[in-house]
Amino acid sequence: MPPTDWATLREGRVIDLAQSWHRGMPVSPNHPAFQMALMRRHGDMVRPDGGSAANEMIVLGGHVGTHIDALCHVSHEGLLHGGIETDPITTNNGFTQLGIETVPPFFCRGVLLDVARVHGVDHLPAGYEITVSDLVAAQEACGTELQPGDVALVHSGWNQFWDDPEAFRGQIDGAPGPGEEAGNWLAQKKIRAAGAETIAFEVIRPGAGHSTLPVHRQLLVESGIYIFEAMNLGQLATLDVGEFLFIASPLKLVGATGSPIRPLAIVFD
C-alpha cells in the first residue's frame, strides 16, 4: 500500500480510468443512449453588466459509460443480495434498499489482472472466456495476490474498440469477459469490487447478446461484490504495475441501480 505522508502522496501519478461521455458512445441495448444539449448559449441572455452564461441538459441511464452497479441492479428468482425480496422495496422513485447511495466511496488497494498481457496480445478475441487459469496467471504476473477488500480490475484490451460502438457492444461478434468459474474464483477472494473495460462484466458469446448474466448473479446477488464496467484500463496497463491506490465515488442517486463514475488509480514508483 502507498505511504500516507503528504509529500509522497503528491508524488503519485494519477491515472484516469474512465471513458469520456459523448453522443454516439457505445451503450448497452438495455439502457438509454447518452444525450447532451446546450439549453442556454452565451448571448441568449445577457446581464446588464455584459455577463452571460451557458448550461446544458444531460440525459443518461445509470449504466451508461464508465459506471458502477449497485446491489439492487440484478436479482435472481425475485431476490436481491441478502435474500431481500424485490417487490417490497421497489417504488416509482427507485429502491428503498441497496440503492447506489448506500455504496461508500472507494479508497483502497486496486490490483490489475492483465489477461491480455498474459496472452501476449493487445486485446483478447471477441467472445473469449476469461478462465481461472487466466486470472491466476495474471495475478502471478503482477506480483501480488488479491486480498479481501481489494478492487480487482481485469484488463482485456477491449478499450481499444471504444470508438467502434458496434464492435464494443459485442452484440454480433461477442466480447471477452469472465465465465462462471472465473466469477466464482473472484467471489472467493472476497474482493470489494471487480471491474473491466467491456459493457458487461461477462463473456458475451457471438450472437448471444446479454441474454444471460451469470457472473452478475455471482458477484452482485450471491456475494455482494460491486461491478465497474466500461472502464479505460489501457494507460494503466502500459505502466506495468500490479497494485495501486484506487479511488472512486458513485453519485448519491437515491434508490438508483447504478451511477456514472470516474475512478482513479494512483500509482507510486
Side-chain angles (χ1 to χ4, degrees), residues 175-186:
E180 290 189 66
E181 291 185 359
N184 184 58
W185 184 85
L186 288 168

Side-chain angles (χ1 to χ4, degrees), residues 23-86:
R23 285 188 179 185
M25 60 187 275
V27 176
S28 165
N30 296 327
H31 300 285
F34 175 87
Q35 300 289 346
M36 189 183 85
L38 286 177
M39 301 305 294
R40 176 179 287 180
R41 303 172 186 272
H42 293 291
D44 288 348
M45 188 278 287
V46 180
R47 295 182 175 87
D49 64 356
S52 185
N55 56 50
E56 65 283 314
M57 180 174 69
I58 299 171
V59 179
L60 76 164
H63 302 266
V64 173
T66 305
H67 66 275
I68 179 175
D69 292 348
L71 298 184
C72 63
H73 177 46
V74 171
S75 65
H76 185 66
E77 296 183 348
L79 300 178
L80 298 169
H81 177 63
I84 298 174
E85 295 182 1
T86 59

Side-chain angles (χ1 to χ4, degrees), residues 6 47 146 160 166 269:
W6 289 109
R47 295 182 175 87
L146 284 174
Q160 298 178 33
E166 183 174 301
D269 294 331

Side-chain angles (χ1 to χ4, degrees), residues 52-130:
S52 185
N55 56 50
E56 65 283 314
M57 180 174 69
I58 299 171
V59 179
L60 76 164
H63 302 266
V64 173
T66 305
H67 66 275
I68 179 175
D69 292 348
L71 298 184
C72 63
H73 177 46
V74 171
S75 65
H76 185 66
E77 296 183 348
L79 300 178
L80 298 169
H81 177 63
I84 298 174
E85 295 182 1
T86 59
D87 287 350
I89 67 168
T90 304
T91 75
N92 290 336
N93 293 323
F95 289 88
T96 59
Q97 295 184 50
L98 304 182
I100 198 68
E101 82 282 3
T102 67
V103 182
F106 290 80
F107 190 88
C108 59
R109 189 177 80 140
V111 174
L112 182 67
L113 300 175
D114 194 343
V115 178
R117 179 185 178 189
V118 165
H119 287 273
V121 297
D122 290 335
H123 62 84
L124 298 177
Y128 178 81
E129 178 178 341
I130 295 174

Side-chain angles (χ1 to χ4, degrees), residues 124-138:
L124 298 177
Y128 178 81
E129 178 178 341
I130 295 174
T131 65
V132 173
S133 296
D134 289 332
L135 296 180
V136 171

